[in-house]
Amino acid sequence: ASLYQAVESSVWHFEARSQFIALTITRVLLGSAVAITSILPVFRSRHYVADVVLALALALLVYSNPVVTLTVERWLQGAWSQSGEVGEIVIPPCSAPGAGLDSRYYLRDELVYLECSSTELWKKQLKALRKIQDNLRQRVRRAESSLSKARMDVCLRAEERQEAADARFKAATEERTKHYAEEEQRLLEER
């Protein structure tokens, strides 16, 4: 087991935030150790930069790619013809920049029926999934309803604003017409 797995198994009983902090600190420290051990040989003139870059690229490929890991594991086990549950692979998240927080992969081939699964468990999971689907449908209906109300509200506001603008335009036009009529009358009287 790796150092990261040891830390991961020792903080499982912490609350989620504390787990995240402990695992993040571990990732940073392990990532720093990898970076330092890859940079030091270059500074000591024992290796060229290209050697280190190639070694890091290959390490990232081997240690952070589940497909490569699965292929190597099956090749070592000679399990090319077997199907079903392949196993579980833990990839240290400090091995790849920007790697996801979940570093545990469960590898399976085709359709897998786990031994611990039972009809009751499947029914329970199906019930839970249907409940999730129903909740999502209700959320979609509520969102569509609120969107419809918002659209109607926008249309009503637009109509009210249009009516108000028309009323202002009509009042301004009447005022201008009245002003021009008064001005014309005044000019006629002056002549």
Side-chain angles (χ1 to χ4, degrees), residues 7-183:
V7 171
E8 186 179 35
S9 64
S10 66
V11 298
W12 69 270
H13 62 280
F14 290 178
E15 63 181 40
R17 184 180 176 129
S18 298
Q19 277 183 1
F20 176 77
I21 292 170
L23 293 176
T24 302
I25 290 171
T26 305
R27 287 183 193 114
V28 169
L29 291 175
L30 291 175
S32 300
V34 169
I36 289 171
T37 57
S38 62
I39 292 173
L40 282 179
V42 174
F43 286 135
R44 292 185 179 171
S45 300
R46 292 185 182 170
H47 292 282
Y48 294 109
V49 175
D51 292 341
V52 173
V53 170
L54 188 60
L56 286 175
L58 288 175
L60 287 175
L61 177 65
V62 170
Y63 292 116
S64 66
N65 190 336
V67 175
V68 173
T69 307
L70 172 65
T71 305
V72 170
E73 187 173 307
R74 291 186 121 209
W75 178 62
L76 290 174
Q77 293 174 355
W80 289 106
S81 61
Q82 296 176 357
S83 62
E85 185 79 19
V86 174
E88 175 184 342
I89 296 175
V90 177
I91 298 173
C94 62
S95 65
L101 295 178
D102 191 13
S103 61
R104 193 171 306 277
Y105 294 91
Y106 297 94
L107 306 172
R108 297 179 178 100
D109 280 346
E110 303 164 7
L111 294 175
V112 176
Y113 296 99
L114 302 176
E115 293 176 13
C116 64
S117 296
S118 66
T119 306
E120 295 168 6
L121 180 61
W122 289 349
K123 286 179 182 178
K124 185 178 177 182
Q125 289 175 345
L126 182 62
K127 185 178 178 181
L129 288 174
R130 286 191 176 147
K131 185 177 179 181
I132 291 170
Q133 284 179 333
D134 290 341
N135 288 340
L136 289 174
R137 284 187 191 118
Q138 288 176 0
R139 288 176 65 188
V140 167
R141 279 191 225 116
R142 279 182 270 170
E144 287 174 347
S145 174
S146 65
L147 180 62
S148 175
K149 288 177 184 176
R151 284 180 179 161
M152 289 182 66
D153 190 38
V154 166
C155 288
L156 290 174
R157 286 184 194 167
E159 288 177 12
E160 290 172 357
R161 288 179 181 160
Q162 183 64 41
E163 289 173 1
D166 289 344
R168 284 194 306 271
F169 178 73
K170 185 177 180 180
T173 305
E174 288 174 357
E175 187 179 325
R176 287 267 182 204
T177 305
K178 183 180 175 185
H179 175 70
Y180 288 142
E182 289 174 357
E183 187 69 26

